[in-house]
Amino acid sequence: MSRTAAAPAALAVPVLALGVFGIITTEMGVVGVLPALAERLHTTPAAAGTLVGAFALTVAVTGPVGVLFASRWRRKSVLAAALAVFAAANVVYALAGSYPLVLAWRIIPALFHPVFFALALTAATRLAAPGKAARAATTVFAGVSAGFAFGVPLTTFLADRFSPPAAFWCAAAVNLLACAGVLVFFPDLPETRRPTYAGQLGILRRGRLWLSVAAVTLLFAALFSGYGYIAEFLQNVTGLSASLTGPVLMAFGIVMTAGNTFFGRLLERAPLGTVTVYPLLCLVLYLLLDAAGPYRAPMLAGVLLWGAVHSGGLAVAQSHLARDATDAPEFGNSLFISFSNLGITLGTALGGAVTATAGPRHLPLAGAVLALAALAAVLVRRRLGPGPRPAGAPAAAQDRPAPVPAP
C-alpha cells in the first residue's frame, strides 16, 4: 500500500467504530425516550417497549442468513448501505406518528445490524497490521461501549432538553457521517476467493463450533442477567437514589470503554489464556457483587470493576468463536452476533424471573451460575484442541483466535 493510500486506510477502522456507535445509539437510544414515543404514537408504554424487543429478536433470528447473502457483495457498498438504512430509520422515528410504521422501521435496520457488525469486524482485522488484529477488533467494539456510555444518555438528554425528534435527527446525522466516512476512507480490500454458501454452511458440522456457540450464549446470558437490572439493583439493594443512579451508570459506561481496550491488549498477548480466564473472572466478580450489594461504598467500587469486566465480553467471546470459523469468518461472526443476542435475551429473562420471584438482592448469583456454565463449555472446547486446519491456513491459525477476522 502506498503512503498516500495508507493515510485514508488508517482512518477506516475508526470510521467503522463510529458506525457501530451510530448503530448502537439507534438500537438502544429509544429506551430513554419510550414514554414520550408511546405518547406521540398513541400507544401504550408496553407496546412501545416491543420496539426494543423486536429489534433484538430480528437480529438474533436473521443474522446468519443476512450475512450469508451479503457475503457475495462488495464489502464497501454493503457497509455504506447499512449505515444509510440506519440514518433513514432515525428520520422515520423523527417524523412518523404511526406505531406500525415505526415498528416496521425497527425491523428493517435490524436486518442490517448483524451484516454491518460481521463485515466490519472481518474488515478491521484484515486491515490491521500483523499481530494487531485483536486491537482492531476492540477498536470496533469501542463503538459499542461508547454507544452505551454516551449515545444512549445523549439521546435521552436531547429528547428531554429539546424533543424526541431532535434526538433522532442527531442519531441520523451520526449514521450519515459514518456512511460518508466509509465511502471516503474505507479501501477496496483485495478480493479473496469468493465464498460459496455450501462452504460457509459447512462449519456448522463441527462439534467444536457448537461448544464455542454454547460458551458465547452462556457468557452473554451471564453478562446481561444482572446488567439488564442494574438500576433496580442499585436503588433497591444498595439504596442509591434515582438522581445518583444516573451518574453511576454513566461511570459504568465510561469504564467500559477503558476495559474494552484492556482486554484487547490481553487478547493480543495471550488469546487462549484470556478466553479461558474471562468466565472465571466473571464468576468471581458476581460473587463479590452479591456480597457488596447492600453496602454503598464497596458497591460503588464494585460498579467500576463491573463495567471494566463487562466490556471484555464482546472481544473475548468473539475471539473464542472465531478460531472455529477461520475459513468462513463473516458467517462465523454472524453466528457470534445471533447467539450473543440470544444470550442477552435468555439472561435478561432469567434476571427478570429472579427479580420477580425472589427480589433483586441475590441477582448476581444468577450471573455466577451462568458464568460457571460458560467456563465449563470453554474448558471442554479447549480440551478438544484446535481442530482441523482449513486448507491454506497456517498451522497455528486456529489456536490464534485474536488475529482471525471475526465478528
Side-chain angles (χ1 to χ4, degrees):
M1 183 182 293
S2 69
R3 182 171 299 181
T4 55
L11 296 174
V13 175
V15 162
L16 294 175
L18 178 63
V20 169
F21 171 78
I23 287 174
I24 292 297
T25 301
T26 301
E27 177 185 2
M28 302 304 299
V30 298
V31 171
V33 299
L34 277 181
L37 198 57
E39 183 178 354
R40 182 158 66 90
L41 298 178
H42 308 291
T43 188
T44 65
T50 61
L51 298 174
V52 180
F55 192 105
L57 183 61
T58 302
V59 171
V61 171
T62 68
V65 175
V67 173
L68 197 66
F69 177 75
S71 66
R72 309 301 298 272
W73 293 75
R74 184 170 172 248
R75 303 296 184 265
K76 184 172 184 174
S77 300
V78 174
L79 291 168
L83 291 167
V85 168
F86 272 87
N90 279 287
V91 172
V92 172
Y93 306 157
L95 299 177
S98 163
Y99 173 77
L101 179 60
V102 172
L103 179 61
W105 275 91
R106 291 293 288 173
I107 293 173
I108 292 170
L111 297 172
F112 288 83
H113 176 285
V115 174
F116 184 89
F117 268 76
L119 270 61
L121 286 163
T122 303
T125 52
R126 286 186 63 188
L127 290 168
K132 302 298 183 183
R135 184 171 304 188
T138 52
T139 298
V140 174
F141 281 133
V144 177
S145 301
F148 280 102
F150 305 109
V152 175
L154 179 62
T155 300
T156 305
F157 171 78
L158 290 174
D160 290 341
R161 180 67 178 82
F162 300 102
S163 67
F168 295 134
W169 283 114
C170 182
V174 171
N175 282 288
L176 279 179
L177 180 63
C179 178
V182 167
L183 293 174
V184 173
F185 298 114
F186 191 83
D188 280 315
L189 295 173
E191 278 295 327
T192 55
R193 184 172 58 87
R194 190 173 293 276
T196 64
Y197 295 141
Q200 294 178 84
L201 290 170
I203 68 173
L204 298 177
R205 295 193 295 266
R206 301 172 185 169
R208 291 172 173 82
L209 174 75
W210 289 106
L211 278 171
S212 297
V213 164
V216 167
T217 305
L218 289 166
L219 187 57
F220 271 81
L223 292 172
F224 283 85
S225 61
Y227 176 75
Y229 304 91
I230 183 172
E232 183 170 357
F233 185 85
L234 291 174
Q235 291 178 23
N236 295 330
V237 178
T238 310
L240 296 186
S241 65
S243 60
L244 185 57
T245 299
V248 169
L249 293 181
M250 177 73 78
F252 182 99
I254 293 172
V255 172
M256 276 184 65
T257 305
N260 180 73
T261 302
F262 172 74
F263 280 101
R265 301 293 189 270
L266 286 182
L267 284 168
E268 286 181 358
R269 297 170 184 169
L272 290 182
T274 303
V275 165
T276 305
V277 169
Y278 183 78
L280 178 60
L281 183 61
C282 289
L283 171 62
V284 173
L285 169 69
Y286 292 135
L287 293 176
L288 290 175
L289 291 174
D290 182 70
Y295 308 102
R296 178 171 296 195
M299 190 58 202
L300 290 177
V303 166
L304 299 180
L305 180 61
W306 191 355
V309 173
H310 185 88
S311 66
L314 289 166
V316 171
Q318 179 268 334
S319 180
H320 182 60
L321 184 55
R323 63 175 176 156
D324 289 314
T326 53
D327 43 349
E330 289 167 351
F331 185 62
N333 287 341
S334 73
L335 294 175
F336 164 75
I337 295 163
S338 287
F339 282 96
S340 62
N341 274 273
L342 176 61
I344 292 170
T345 303
L346 294 175
T348 52
L350 177 60
V354 169
T355 301
T357 57
R361 169 63 187 92
H362 294 294
L363 186 59
L365 293 182
V369 171
L370 290 166
L372 182 61
L375 176 62
V378 168
L379 291 175
V380 172
R381 168 62 189 87
R382 184 164 180 174
R383 284 182 63 86
L384 294 179
R389 179 167 60 93
Q398 284 191 280
D399 262 343
R400 278 200 320 271
V404 175

